[in-house]
Amino acid sequence: MAGNEHEVNRSARSGQFVKESTAERDPRHTTTEQVGGESSTDDTDREIHRSASTGRFVTETTTELHASTTETQHR
């Protein structure tokens, strides 16, 4: 799947995809992620948590304490 990689922007508040202009206007409440490409079949039911302000991975506890500025995704 090489060549299928691209960036997507997501709102931490709603979890919905947003335009790049929205992410630029409100970087604290959006994340930009690299998607596509090759993936392992072992990762199919994994949850990941990200901070909307930094885009970094955070723990589940951090997500529970700061629900308005983090997001959980299923991979």
Side-chain angles (χ1 to χ4, degrees):
M1 288 195 149
N4 191 23
E5 295 177 14
H6 61 281
E7 289 185 341
V8 294
N9 302 296
R10 190 183 291 265
S11 167
R13 292 178 179 154
S14 68
Q16 295 187 8
F17 293 106
V18 296
K19 293 190 251 179
E20 185 174 348
S21 59
T22 303
E24 290 170 354
R25 234 182 0 261
D26 193 11
R28 185 173 175 156
H29 295 105
T30 56
T31 60
T32 300
E33 305 164 19
Q34 190 74 25
V35 296
E38 306 240 354
S39 65
S40 170
T41 56
D42 295 337
D43 294 340
T44 55
D45 290 331
R46 196 176 91 193
E47 277 189 348
I48 59 169
H49 311 281
R50 284 189 185 264
S51 165
S53 59
T54 65
R56 294 182 180 189
F57 293 105
V58 296
T59 64
E60 185 174 355
T61 302
T62 302
T63 302
E64 291 168 0
L65 293 172
H66 304 283
S68 66
T69 58
T70 56
E71 65 176 24
T72 300
Q73 299 173 316
H74 300 276
R75 293 205 167 218

